[in-house]
Amino acid sequence: MMQTVPSDLEVIDQVLKGNQQKYELLVKKYQAFAFTIALRYTKNREDAEELAQSAFVKAYLNLRDYRGDAKFSTWLYTIVSSLCLSFLRKKKLEVHSLDQEYVFERADAQESSLKADYIEQRSKLQLLNRAMELLHPDDAKLLTLFYKAEQSLEEIAKILHIEPNNAKVKLHRARQRLKETMEKHFAQEVQEIF
């Protein structure tokens, strides 16, 4: 007999009723999501891990405030985002630093035990991330929400406080600018990888 995976709302309900261990299900499900968002802000893996972890603690402590009118991931995105902005203000770090990203890419490329297809996927992802770094932060944020965070246009509209149609138009324009950026800056790499 197959066991069904409980929905986020069911898990939250169980946690609020005293079964705190169930919160681990949400952490496992959204760990990579929270880390990806934090890394876009900090460009530092250690800081991103710490901020993602802090976001889960904050979400847990404020779980009673989650109303369920948006996906849990949308609510979590807001928490991660605000923690990252506070962190950056405190540290006065530069939000865009490509140097650290290149160090990680070189380190990743030197992992000889990785399978060829995995390396190819990483190369595509790194190339995409490098191209997104060159975009305006608003475009990068939109693309991250839609593709990496898998948010719907309605959820993106809520996060950005705009109308869904406006989100759709902005996403279309961001995709165009990403395509143009890749063609302009990474034409050779695109031909080699894709």
Side-chain angles (χ1 to χ4, degrees), residues 3-191:
Q3 192 175 4
T4 58
V5 178
S7 72
D8 293 350
L9 284 173
E10 290 169 334
V11 171
I12 290 166
D13 188 50
Q14 289 175 13
V15 172
L16 291 175
K17 287 180 178 170
N19 191 350
Q20 287 91 352
Q21 290 77 21
K22 290 285 183 183
Y23 189 68
E24 184 67 23
L25 294 172
L26 292 174
V27 173
K28 285 180 180 170
K29 184 174 179 181
Y30 294 109
Q31 216 162 12
F33 167 74
F35 173 76
T36 300
I37 294 163
L39 191 60
R40 288 216 51 72
Y41 281 96
T42 65
K43 311 294 185 240
N44 176 303
R45 289 177 189 268
E46 285 179 21
D47 290 338
E49 284 172 6
E50 202 172 298
L51 285 161
Q53 192 174 10
S54 296
F56 281 110
V57 171
K58 188 171 182 177
Y60 177 78
L61 295 172
N62 293 287
L63 208 52
R64 291 202 181 283
D65 296 338
Y66 175 66
R67 294 186 309 277
D69 53 353
K71 278 187 191 175
F72 177 77
S73 57
T74 305
W75 187 66
L76 182 64
Y77 173 88
T78 307
I79 293 171
V80 175
S81 199
S82 66
L83 281 174
C84 288
L85 290 171
S86 296
F87 170 81
L88 291 172
R89 276 193 295 270
K90 284 179 194 164
K91 293 277 190 174
K92 293 184 179 161
L93 289 175
E94 189 178 316
V95 178
H96 296 286
S97 169
L98 291 174
D99 298 336
Q100 289 179 350
E101 195 63 34
Y102 289 122
V103 171
F104 290 128
E105 288 169 12
R106 279 192 216 107
D108 287 344
Q110 290 170 355
E111 295 253 358
S112 60
S113 63
L114 295 177
K115 294 178 184 168
D117 61 337
Y118 179 73
I119 291 173
E120 187 177 328
Q121 285 303 106
R122 291 285 294 184
S123 296
K124 287 179 182 177
L125 187 61
Q126 288 170 352
L127 185 61
L128 199 57
N129 286 337
R130 284 171 54 201
M132 283 177 64
E133 290 291 335
L134 298 174
L135 293 176
H136 188 276
D138 291 344
D139 287 343
K141 185 178 190 177
L142 259 170
L143 293 166
T144 299
L145 284 170
F146 190 76
Y147 291 107
K148 293 183 180 179
E150 297 177 5
Q151 300 293 300
S152 70
L153 287 170
E154 288 77 22
E155 289 160 340
I156 291 171
K158 275 186 186 177
I159 290 168
L160 300 179
H161 308 292
I162 58 176
E163 293 297 315
N165 280 343
N166 197 355
K168 186 177 181 178
V169 170
K170 285 179 180 282
L171 180 63
H172 175 73
R173 290 180 182 154
R175 280 189 195 128
Q176 278 301 118
R177 285 190 279 268
L178 177 63
K179 183 181 176 208
E180 290 163 9
T181 300
M182 290 187 78
E183 288 169 353
K184 180 179 176 184
H185 296 280
F186 305 106
Q188 184 65 38
E189 292 95 326
V190 169
Q191 284 181 345

